[in-house]
Amino acid sequence: MKLVKHLANLGYGSRKQVAWLFREGRITDVDGEVMYADDTPTHDEIRIDGEPLDPAPGILLMLHKPLAVTCSKKDPGGVVFDLLPARFGLRDPALSTVGRLDRDTSGLLLMTDDGQLLHRIISPKSKLPKVYLATLAQDLRGDEVACFANGGLMLESEKTPLLPAELEVLGPREARLTLHEGRYHQVRRMFAAVGNHVEALHRERIGGLDLGDLAEGQWRMLSEKDRAKLFASD
Ligand code: URA
């Protein structure tokens, strides 16, 4: 791929803007030697204003999603892309969220530009566990563990029953729920089906991957080791 297109696809500007970066001598090799648009370096050899490039396509990152931002591309109230470098929203292939968390849900959100990887994570076939911490408006009744575990729970306007899910009761109004699929507003709808209401929801883990010490609103690229952790329970 031509260098100008490669940089434009990483979000460094339109092809015209990137061509200007070359003319201004801002694109160099690791030793500061100016590069030209028809040079053929590898991705890792390129510097812009002395800085290495953002990672090449095939990225997977995790974000600690705060409350009150949405997983869409645009929303006047704020979107998850606002928490990433602006360039990330301009990449081609595009970066997208791996599934969604509601505006009022916080926690672990994955984002990738790799369609196959995205599919592998969200596919019902992979059954990757997703673990949520829920705070409820009313005391648990006592039958929820059995009700969620039996694999027969039918949510309104769904055609097939839910897969078995594990509920761990942590307190009268506090529970940890592990799902192996991802249906629309699933956790909230499951608790509504047993006469309760979710007041606060936080995703702690996907597969074997948790947020570690990543603070709310922060993100980081995932390494090969993280990816292995993610699929450890595959
Ligand atoms: N289930 C929900 O109800 N909301 C989320 O954000 C994720 C799972």
Side-chain angles (χ1 to χ4, degrees):
M1 186 189 297
K2 290 244 193 294
L3 204 42
V4 170
K5 185 164 162 48
H6 181 56
L7 298 183
N9 286 354
L10 291 173
Y12 285 96
S14 63
R15 290 197 206 189
K16 208 167 158 187
Q17 287 164 330
V18 171
W20 265 108
L21 297 178
F22 279 101
R23 270 180 228 137
E24 290 169 351
R26 291 168 62 188
I27 303 187
T28 65
D29 65 13
V30 281
D31 302 316
E33 285 290 317
V34 169
M35 277 192 192
Y36 298 93
D38 49 7
D39 285 342
T40 53
T42 64
H43 179 92
D44 293 341
E45 290 166 341
I46 306 169
R47 297 289 179 273
I48 294 192
D49 296 330
E51 296 293 326
L53 295 182
D54 292 339
I59 58 177
L60 176 66
L61 65 85
M62 75 171 167
L63 170 72
H64 186 159
K65 180 191 170 295
L67 298 175
V69 292
T70 66
C71 287
S72 27
K73 272 259 167 178
K74 271 192 188 158
D75 187 308
V79 296
V80 290
F81 283 93
D82 298 338
L83 301 165
L84 304 173
R87 277 199 299 280
F88 284 18
L90 303 171
R91 287 173 69 107
D92 181 10
L95 187 63
S96 54
T97 63
V98 178
R100 286 177 168 231
L101 287 178
D102 303 337
R103 188 175 180 279
D104 298 326
T105 303
S106 59
L108 174 56
L109 181 72
L110 297 176
M111 298 179 78
T112 185
D113 60 358
D114 180 336
Q116 275 187 350
L117 179 62
L118 185 145
H119 183 72
R120 185 175 169 209
I121 299 168
I122 64 172
S123 160
K125 270 196 205 138
S126 85
K127 294 197 175 63
L128 267 196
K130 294 169 202 84
V131 183
Y132 296 88
L133 197 60
T135 306
L136 304 163
Q138 292 164 56
D139 287 2
L140 289 156
R141 306 189 299 211
D143 63 342
E144 294 87 349
V145 172
C147 194
F148 292 171
N150 74 19
L153 186 62
M154 202 64 187
L155 294 181
E156 224 180 280
S157 68
E158 294 279 340
K159 291 197 177 69
T160 52
L162 297 180
L163 293 174
E166 295 88 54
L167 186 74
E168 184 190 349
V169 176
L170 303 172
R173 296 187 181 190
E174 196 94 38
R176 178 173 287 122
L177 180 61
T178 302
L179 304 183
H180 303 274
E181 59 189 331
R183 303 202 198 181
Y184 181 67
H185 288 176
Q186 185 170 343
V187 178
R188 293 176 202 277
R189 290 164 72 210
M190 285 173 76
F191 280 105
V194 292
N196 216 320
H197 175 77
V198 172
E199 280 200 333
L201 189 60
H202 177 82
R203 182 154 68 193
E204 294 182 317
R205 189 160 68 75
I206 302 176
L209 189 71
D210 61 31
L211 285 162
D213 55 9
L214 196 66
E216 206 171 82
Q218 300 296 304
W219 63 275
R220 71 172 175 84
M221 286 292 170
L222 295 188
S223 62
E224 282 307 319
K225 212 169 143 191
D226 293 317
R227 292 181 190 221
K229 254 175 113 176
L230 173 65
F231 291 110
S233 53
D234 225 351

